[in-house]
Amino acid sequence: MEPRQDLYNTLPEDLGDFVEESLVPDEEWERDEQDAWHRCATFLKDHCFQGQLVAGQEVRVLKVMKGGSYGKGTSLKHTSDVDLILFLSCFSSFQDQADLRKEIIDFIKKKVEHCSQSLAYSISVIPYWGRNPRSLAIQVQAKKNSNVIKVDVLPAFDVLGNASPDSNLPQEIFEKLINFEGSPGEFSSSFTVLHRHFVRTRPVKVKNLLRLVKHWWYLQHKKYKRVKVALPPKYALELLTIYAWETGTDESENFDLAEGFKAVMKLVRDYNNICIYWTKYYNFQNEAVSIFIKEKLKEERPVILDPADPTNNLGRGKSWDVMAKEAAYTLQQDCCSTVDPWPVRAARDVQVKVEVPGNWVLMLMVDPYRPIWKMKKSIEEMWHPSGQQRLSFQEPGEERKELSNFKTLADYGIFARVTVSVLVTEPGEIQVFVKDSSGRSKPYAVYPDDSISDLKEKIEEAGGPPAEDQILKFPGHKVRYSSNLSELQVQDGDTFRLFRIGTSNLS
């Protein structure tokens, strides 16, 4: 029987034993992993760059760090990756890392090949191709009867320095990463301490669920189906699993492994709606970071943002349909047949700040896949408006948009907190938006026969400048004080531009 079937034929109540017996590394494997990593780290720190110039400068190893499954504590028996992150003094920016990375990798390769004969253990370089490799793969065998371990060496810029993952990280770090405009995830190695912390701090049972999903189910699928298309990265499955545990159990340490496995398989099967992210390290406090995150969340789903690197959407551009087909097959097997999955939705609830007339504010948590009319019903139960609700929102740098009853927040790409304005209209009234010189706009209820004078009075009553100081502009028309809206052919949802007399931007 192929190893993949061992999992599928395991009863739900026996999955825990399956993981312990088949997936958790034994002491010999852990010892060989540690030995291989230590030998590579010692060679790189003490011998590789000593007395040498690389790119015309001396290079110091600032520190080395364990990455990958090995660093996160989710290694798999006889199959895991050992990542060695090499923080170097020659990288003082992301630009340096991009410019010098290949030269550093080429130098390490030559040094390993030159020194391999004189070392008291077997070490060899795995050939690499491409003009700009991000890592160097090395095979290490401490002695003849030990396992051959593959170590991936990743040179990196030490952007975090001594910052603690538990502290409030300066958001300018992530702003610099975003502004550099590198390839998605190109500099993820620089944030290894965050990747490690995000996974390593999880309970042991969660790590066993990660082993089951990310390593065994995923790797065996690739191996035995001989998939030739580019599948989503293992890290995407890891993040989906952690998300399922967080939202499905409220981060409980006592959970059923089979229920969790089934919940993840359902997420993969129904991947089209997935949109998940975290604000553990980067957040919405910095405007540039906030705008960037919200734009990433509008990308084609599935969206799975790396919690340590906002540029890296792990759901982007891969063959999720292939994974979904295998997940659907898995859900029919013995390992999933008799349990109910955790109640996990494809996206977290969105915090909606609702601004209502009279300077009131309501706070709602809304399922982004729930129709807007249901959100209006929740607002009505809390506020009791006397007319028809018109909801609208505006993101920085964009026009104000009305929220349609039978659409959802997801339809507008809203998966993060948002401010919504409520306008109450009576029969016959329409909604217009008035945008000031800062680019922000407000909604107003007007009748088509109202005059520009009437609209100016409403703007003043809502906290705008005095009516006599206002200049309103409407595209394609000359706006006079006595004009009415119907004469200007104003339609529901149109936008006026508002300027104040004495300002310099009236063009």
Side-chain angles (χ1 to χ4, degrees):
M1 181 183 298
E2 66 178 47
R4 198 165 65 100
Q5 288 303 124
D6 289 347
L7 166 62
Y8 288 164
N9 294 334
T10 301
L11 295 176
E13 59 268 26
D14 296 329
L15 275 183
D17 291 336
F18 174 83
V19 172
E20 290 291 341
E21 294 170 6
S22 303
L23 311 184
V24 176
D26 53 34
E27 291 183 3
E28 178 186 351
W29 180 258
E30 288 183 330
R31 187 168 55 248
D32 288 344
E33 275 188 321
Q34 173 63 23
D35 187 59
W37 188 90
H38 177 74
R39 289 177 188 273
C40 285
T42 300
F43 172 79
L44 292 167
K45 286 190 296 183
D46 298 342
H47 304 292
C48 187
F49 300 100
Q50 296 300 314
Q52 302 286 324
L53 291 179
V54 185
Q57 59 183 301
E58 291 186 5
V59 177
R60 291 180 295 107
V61 176
L62 302 177
K63 59 187 175 185
V64 293
M65 185 172 291
K66 299 173 183 176
S69 300
Y70 179 55
K72 296 171 185 175
T74 58
S75 289
L76 189 71
K77 190 185 234 178
H78 301 299
T79 318
S80 281
D81 49 333
V82 176
D83 286 357
L84 189 154
I85 316 302
L86 189 66
F87 294 98
L88 300 173
S89 62
C90 59
F91 299 153
S92 58
S93 65
F94 294 118
Q95 186 67 61
D96 287 343
Q97 182 172 337
D99 291 343
L100 301 175
R101 179 169 45 205
K102 184 179 187 304
E103 195 165 348
I104 291 291
I105 288 174
D106 287 343
F107 177 84
I108 296 173
K109 175 180 179 292
K110 291 177 182 177
K111 197 73 173 180
V112 170
E113 291 172 340
H114 176 74
C115 297
S116 61
Q117 299 301 317
S118 60
L119 296 174
Y121 54 93
S122 173
I123 182 170
S124 60
V125 173
I126 299 175
Y128 59 86
W129 291 268
R131 291 184 296 177
N132 191 21
R134 298 184 186 181
S135 64
L136 178 69
I138 298 173
Q139 286 184 326
V140 182
Q141 185 176 26
K143 44 188 179 291
K144 287 185 178 181
N145 60 345
S146 65
N147 293 293
V148 177
I149 306 294
K150 176 173 167 282
V151 180
D152 288 318
V153 179
L154 293 90
F157 164 42
D158 188 21
V159 64
L160 295 175
N162 296 320
S164 168
D166 289 316
S167 64
N168 291 322
L169 296 171
Q171 294 301 292
E172 290 74 20
I173 291 173
F174 301 101
E175 186 175 357
K176 287 180 182 178
L177 174 66
I178 290 166
N179 289 339
F180 183 75
E181 296 183 346
S183 302
E186 180 179 357
F187 302 102
S188 288
S189 58
S190 293
F191 299 90
T192 295
V193 65
L194 305 184
H195 290 123
R196 272 187 15 162
H197 182 263
F198 187 77
V199 179
R200 199 173 186 88
T201 54
R202 310 295 175 170
V204 172
K205 198 168 185 179
V206 174
K207 294 174 185 176
N208 281 345
L209 180 57
L210 289 170
R211 287 185 170 103
L212 188 62
V213 172
K214 183 180 78 163
H215 293 300
W216 191 254
W217 179 80
Y218 177 92
L219 291 176
Q220 294 300 323
H221 170 60
K222 284 188 69 174
K223 180 178 179 181
Y224 288 94
K225 285 294 183 76
R226 294 177 174 84
V227 179
K228 295 182 180 179
V229 297
L231 292 179
K234 288 185 296 179
Y235 188 32
L237 274 293
E238 181 175 64
L239 294 177
L240 270 186
T241 303
I242 291 174
Y243 167 77
W245 168 71
E246 288 177 341
T247 59
T249 73
D250 199 23
E251 301 191 24
S252 171
E253 295 188 27
N254 183 23
F255 60 83
D256 186 276
L257 205 64
E259 292 177 3
F261 183 60
K262 189 169 185 176
V264 176
M265 291 298 101
K266 286 193 70 178
L267 279 174
V268 176
R269 183 194 65 186
D270 304 329
Y271 67 92
N272 281 312
N273 288 331
I274 292 173
C275 187
I276 59 175
Y277 64 98
W278 289 263
T279 55
K280 187 176 181 66
Y281 305 120
Y282 56 80
N283 52 53
F284 297 99
Q285 301 305 312
N286 178 292
E287 183 178 7
V289 177
S290 175
I291 292 172
F292 183 84
I293 297 170
K294 289 184 177 182
E295 284 302 311
K296 295 295 284 186
L297 297 179
K298 292 178 183 178
E299 292 183 352
E300 183 180 356
R301 280 157 258 163
V303 173
I304 305 171
L305 282 195
D306 184 341
D309 178 357
T311 71
N312 197 16
N313 172 14
L314 282 306
R316 184 171 175 265
K318 301 296 181 181
S319 300
W320 282 90
D321 56 328
V322 177
M323 298 292 291
K325 185 176 180 180
E326 182 71 10
Y329 176 77
T330 303
L331 288 167
Q332 300 172 4
Q333 306 309 305
D334 290 344
C335 57
C336 293
S337 59
T338 60
V339 295
D340 294 322
W342 296 334
V344 179
R345 294 204 298 262
R348 301 179 194 272
D349 285 350
V350 175
Q351 183 186 76
V352 179
K353 178 182 177 182
V354 184
E355 297 176 335
V356 299
N359 293 322
W360 287 18
V361 172
L362 308 175
M363 301 302 293
L364 299 176
M365 296 303 294
V366 178
D367 180 348
Y369 290 104
R370 189 184 186 198
I372 299 299
W373 68 264
K374 289 190 175 181
M375 182 165 69
K376 287 184 176 180
K377 189 173 182 180
S378 297
I379 294 171
E380 185 176 348
E381 291 171 353
M382 300 170 69
W383 178 47
H384 309 297
S386 58
Q388 179 189 3
Q389 290 185 57
R390 306 285 294 269
L391 304 185
S392 63
F393 76 102
Q394 183 181 24
E395 296 288 13
E398 298 184 5
E399 297 297 321
R400 180 166 289 275
K401 298 174 184 175
E402 182 172 4
L403 295 172
S404 178
N405 277 348
F406 294 99
K407 290 189 175 182
T408 67
L409 293 180
D411 291 328
Y412 296 92
I414 301 175
F415 289 93
R417 63 186 184 182
V418 66
T419 298
V420 169
S421 298
V422 180
L423 182 73
V424 177
T425 58
E426 300 295 336
E429 285 186 315
I430 63 172
Q431 174 177 239
V432 297
F433 302 129
V434 177
K435 181 164 66 172
D436 63 23
S437 57
S438 72
R440 297 297 299 168
S441 65
K442 287 184 178 181
Y444 292 90
V446 294
Y447 289 100
D449 291 335
D450 281 350
S451 68
I452 291 298
S453 175
D454 294 329
L455 177 56
K456 287 186 174 184
E457 288 180 6
K458 292 185 178 185
I459 293 171
E460 180 179 352
E461 290 171 0
E468 61 270 19
D469 291 344
Q470 297 174 31
I471 295 179
L472 290 176
K473 289 183 174 289
F474 187 67
H477 295 80
K478 186 161 185 166
V479 180
R480 294 184 176 87
Y481 191 79
S482 59
S483 303
N484 64 38
L485 304 184
S486 59
E487 290 173 348
L488 299 173
Q489 298 179 323
V490 174
Q491 302 295 314
D492 187 70
D494 281 346
T495 298
F496 282 86
R497 295 292 306 276
L498 169 66
F499 301 98
R500 187 167 185 162
I501 292 177
T503 59
S504 58
N505 52 358
L506 299 179
S507 58

